[in-house]
Amino acid sequence: QVQLVESGGGLVQAGGSLRLSCAASGRTFSSYAMGWFRQAPGKEREFVATITWIGGSTAYAGSVKGRFTISRDNAKNTVYLQMNSLKPEDTAIYYCANRRVFGRSYDDWGQGTQVTVSS
């Protein structure tokens, strides 16, 4: 099991930036990749970005590509989501999640951090 704690959320104006952090602990040696997801009020949870620990391969949702950057610090067992040019549509609770080695999905989830973008 991997424990995940997100931080860095807050209230920002449209066009602003925010950096989210996700600290992982526990069975991190079994982690293959980390992902960021978000859930806006009344909407389904959606994929935002992912990165592999080894190799640092990334993938992004089309809605954030070019604005958000996912990165990781292996020594700190921490992943980041740099969010630039924020839009009101980005308002959501942001969650980080762990994909285990040989896992078919994201198995471990953090508690989430609120991001609110005002217009």
Side-chain angles (χ1 to χ4, degrees), residues 14-89:
S17 298
L18 207 59
R19 189 179 78 156
L20 306 183
S21 298
C22 176
S25 61
R27 297 175 60 86
T28 56
F29 55 85
S30 297
S31 179
Y32 168 70
M34 299 292 290
W36 284 99
F37 294 76
R38 66 187 183 186
Q39 187 167 27
K43 297 183 179 180
E44 296 288 329
R45 181 174 293 179
E46 66 174 340
F47 167 80
V48 175
T50 188
I51 188 168
T52 59
W53 288 107
I54 300 176
S57 298
T58 60
Y60 298 89
S63 58
V64 306
K65 201 162 192 173
R67 299 188 298 121
F68 291 10
T69 302
I70 188 170
S71 61
R72 92 288 198 204
D73 187 330
N74 293 41
K76 296 180 179 179
N77 290 131
T78 301
V79 296
Y80 306 94
L81 185 67
Q82 178 65 48
M83 305 184 293
N84 298 326
S85 301
L86 283 162
K87 305 174 181 179
E89 309 92 88

